[in-house]
Amino acid sequence: ATSSMFMKNTGPLLSFGQAIVNGDPKEVKNRSLSQWFNTSAFQIAEPYTPRTNPRYYSGLRGPGFWSLDSTLVKYFPITERVNLEFRMEFYNTTNSFMPSGINTGIGSANFGKSIGQANYGREIQYTARIRF
């Protein structure tokens, strides 16, 4: 017997602190994990100035996430009432890399970048069990 669970979600809305914004943050020529949005549109605001930029920009989201987990089970009969169950469970079956959230800290050295991984590599666990 097999079973699988597939999960997918779009990236989270990116929220920004107070800043001076000149231009459209969504306009980036070649989106990559090292430049997810137009970072040159943001400048650090002077302290104690009123906020003029929105917290979120429509359509500007972080990277999406998906995962596939699977299970494989086989029963081997030993006697009429006793059987051996062998089970293997795979987490992140495809061993796919999912980037972490995008840094939105204006003034940070990593502003506009994803510098981590949001998931673990493939994990496998297996079990043998005698059922009676």
Side-chain angles (χ1 to χ4, degrees), residues 14-49:
L14 298 179
S15 64
F16 297 91
Q18 179 181 0
I20 298 170
V21 181
N22 294 316
D24 186 3
K26 295 182 286 185
E27 288 183 10
V28 62
K29 291 181 182 170
N30 296 315
R31 176 173 285 172
S32 68
L33 294 177
S34 61
Q35 186 177 13
W36 194 258
F37 54 85
N38 182 7
T39 56
S40 62
F42 293 89
Q43 295 176 356
I44 298 174
E46 292 293 323
Y48 307 108
T49 56

Side-chain angles (χ1 to χ4, degrees), residues 25 55 61 89 114:
R55 185 168 304 276
R61 294 181 168 271
E89 297 172 341
S114 172

Side-chain angles (χ1 to χ4, degrees), residues 41-130:
F42 293 89
Q43 295 176 356
I44 298 174
E46 292 293 323
Y48 307 108
T49 56
R51 182 186 186 99
T52 57
N53 64 308
R55 185 168 304 276
Y56 302 103
Y57 290 89
S58 176
L60 188 57
R61 294 181 168 271
F65 181 89
W66 65 270
S67 177
L68 176 66
D69 299 334
S70 304
T71 301
L72 177 64
V73 180
K74 176 71 176 169
Y75 297 98
F76 299 96
I78 296 173
T79 66
E80 187 176 316
R81 300 184 74 194
V82 179
N83 62 29
L84 172 68
E85 174 188 335
F86 184 70
R87 173 183 298 264
M88 294 183 72
E89 297 172 341
F90 303 88
Y91 302 98
N92 189 8
T93 304
T94 59
N95 200 27
S96 300
F97 170 80
M98 296 294 143
S100 64
I102 304 298
N103 185 325
T104 58
I106 301 165
S108 168
N110 295 317
F111 181 55
K113 299 178 183 179
S114 172
I115 58 168
Q117 184 170 346
N119 63 341
Y120 296 105
R122 180 185 302 126
E123 295 179 11
I124 302 172
Q125 70 182 26
Y126 51 91
T127 306
R129 175 171 37 181
I130 296 178

